[in-house]
Amino acid sequence: MEPVPAPRLHFAPRDGEIGEIYGVLRSGGRYQVFYEQAPGGLGQASSDDLVIWWEQPSPGALGDAGCGSVVDGPALFFTRTPGVIVRATAATGSAGWTTDQVLAVDPDLRDPYVWRAGDEWRMLLAGADRIAQYRSTDQLAWDFVSDLVAWDGARCPRLFPLDGAWVLLVAGSYAVGTYDGRVFTAASQGVFGRGRLGPVVTFADAAGRRCALAHLTGQASAFSLPWVLSVRGQRLVATPHPHLDPYLTSGAAGLTAAGGEVRDNGELILSMPAGGETLVLADADIVEVTVEGVSGLGVARRSVPGLSGLRIGRL
């Protein structure tokens, strides 16, 4: 029996499943990604180009951390139990992590996103009907700043400047608008993730481009390919990272697209809004899709995998 083709450019750990991705850091000229490795572990992988990832020895276990974030240090922030926000830092001189409870909040607030803002740190927490904002000078003591924005069912928020605007990513949705340090005001909103695309993390690459990486759901979880984000006409658009170019082979046999519907040998595998040219990147059973003039990114799984390696089709 012929072996079933496996994705070549979509990273997956040797053991366990990928849960949430905490973030991507740059250190020593390399990229480091930290992710939840189910069950209950913490995974780490490194890359020179954001395309080929090398699994690193596990830096330890955090338990059921769920959605969180990582900043230089590294320091990881996550929700330990409802209402309890924790920071984890690498333990000095030994394996594992040292954890500190840094914030006690309403039980519905979770999924801390932390970033550097000038000479202080900011944190977003997602709630049932809002996203709350806190500040700190040392990552340990946090003060409430404001309710950033009203948002029903918020999860895994990410806030960042891009192309003269501010973008708020919340799970599979996004908003483009303004941010004055206290309040985010949306000028437009839309859907970013479709199909099997999980929560997205964003980061700046070595060239300063705002990039995105996501957890792909399915029978075997994996990382997405790297994508470059931009704001065009109040839409959040994803384009393939230029580091993918050397890996691309033309032709995506069996895949067709019309009116936003992507089919695999006639079987509907993904529905996207209708637009211009449909770009598909296929690697064995994983298909990532963008549509010209349409915000976001879609992901599907093929029931019968195609060839391993990255095939590109413009349909």
Side-chain angles (χ1 to χ4, degrees), residues 15 18 63 122 166 168 186 209 231 237 268:
D15 298 309
I18 294 173
R122 293 294 178 104
W166 281 83
L168 179 63
R209 292 173 287 237
V231 174
V237 175
L268 180 64

Side-chain angles (χ1 to χ4, degrees):
M1 180 180 293
E2 291 292 327
V4 176
R8 186 174 298 166
L9 298 181
H10 287 80
F11 171 82
R14 290 184 293 270
D15 298 309
E17 294 287 326
I18 294 173
E20 307 292 353
I21 301 177
Y22 299 116
V24 178
L25 304 177
R26 288 184 62 235
S27 176
R30 306 192 82 190
Y31 298 96
Q32 305 288 334
V33 61
F34 294 84
Y35 58 93
E36 183 182 27
Q37 186 169 346
L42 176 64
Q44 182 179 350
S46 63
S47 175
D48 294 321
D49 62 2
L50 297 172
V51 181
I52 303 298
W53 292 94
W54 300 93
E55 187 172 5
Q56 302 300 305
S58 173
L62 295 177
D64 187 11
C67 188
S69 58
V70 62
V71 297
D72 285 332
L76 286 133
F77 293 83
F78 59 94
T79 308
R80 168 58 47 86
T81 56
V84 176
I85 308 302
V86 169
R87 183 187 77 154
T89 54
T92 303
S94 63
W97 295 79
T98 298
T99 58
D100 299 286
Q101 178 178 331
V102 297
L103 197 56
V105 293
D106 292 341
D108 73 311
L109 292 175
R110 60 176 188 168
D111 302 348
Y113 170 61
V114 175
W115 79 100
R116 186 80 177 180
D119 59 357
E120 65 180 15
W121 299 89
R122 293 294 178 104
M123 177 192 291
L124 300 184
L125 293 175
D129 57 3
R130 63 186 173 121
I131 298 174
Q133 181 179 199
Y134 295 78
R135 63 156 50 105
S136 174
T137 58
D138 61 3
Q139 298 184 4
L140 293 173
W142 293 85
D143 297 315
F144 178 75
V145 175
S146 62
D147 283 340
L148 179 80
V149 67
W151 198 293
D152 289 338
R155 183 168 180 262
C156 301
R158 298 286 189 269
L159 178 68
F160 51 91
L162 183 62
D163 296 334
W166 281 83
V167 177
L168 179 63
L169 269 172
V170 184
S173 301
Y174 76 91
V176 176
T178 59
Y179 170 60
D180 63 5
R182 293 183 59 85
V183 175
F184 175 84
T185 303
S188 65
Q189 292 181 254
V191 175
F192 184 82
R194 296 176 173 87
R196 295 186 178 274
L197 189 77
V200 175
V201 298
T202 76
F203 57 95
D205 68 5
R209 292 173 287 237
R210 176 59 60 172
C211 302
L213 192 71
H215 163 219
L216 306 184
T217 64
Q219 290 183 341
S221 61
F223 289 170
S224 72
L225 299 170
W227 295 82
V228 176
L229 302 179
S230 60
V231 174
R232 301 181 189 175
Q234 298 297 310
R235 296 187 303 272
L236 183 59
V237 175
T239 54
H241 196 285
H243 288 176
L244 290 168
D245 290 348
Y247 300 95
L248 295 175
T249 300
S250 296
L255 294 171
T256 59
E261 293 188 343
V262 180
R263 296 179 180 273
D264 177 21
N265 292 298
E267 176 191 0
L268 180 64
I269 59 172
L270 181 67
S271 292
M272 299 280 289
E277 179 183 77
T278 298
L279 174 71
V280 298
L281 296 177
D283 181 12
D285 67 322
I286 299 175
V287 181
E288 300 190 40
V289 178
T290 61
V291 178
E292 184 181 10
V294 173
S295 62
L297 175 65
V299 175
R301 295 272 190 163
R302 308 176 81 170
S303 56
V304 178
L307 297 174
S308 297
L310 204 56
R311 266 65 182 176
I312 183 171
R314 301 182 183 275
L315 310 175

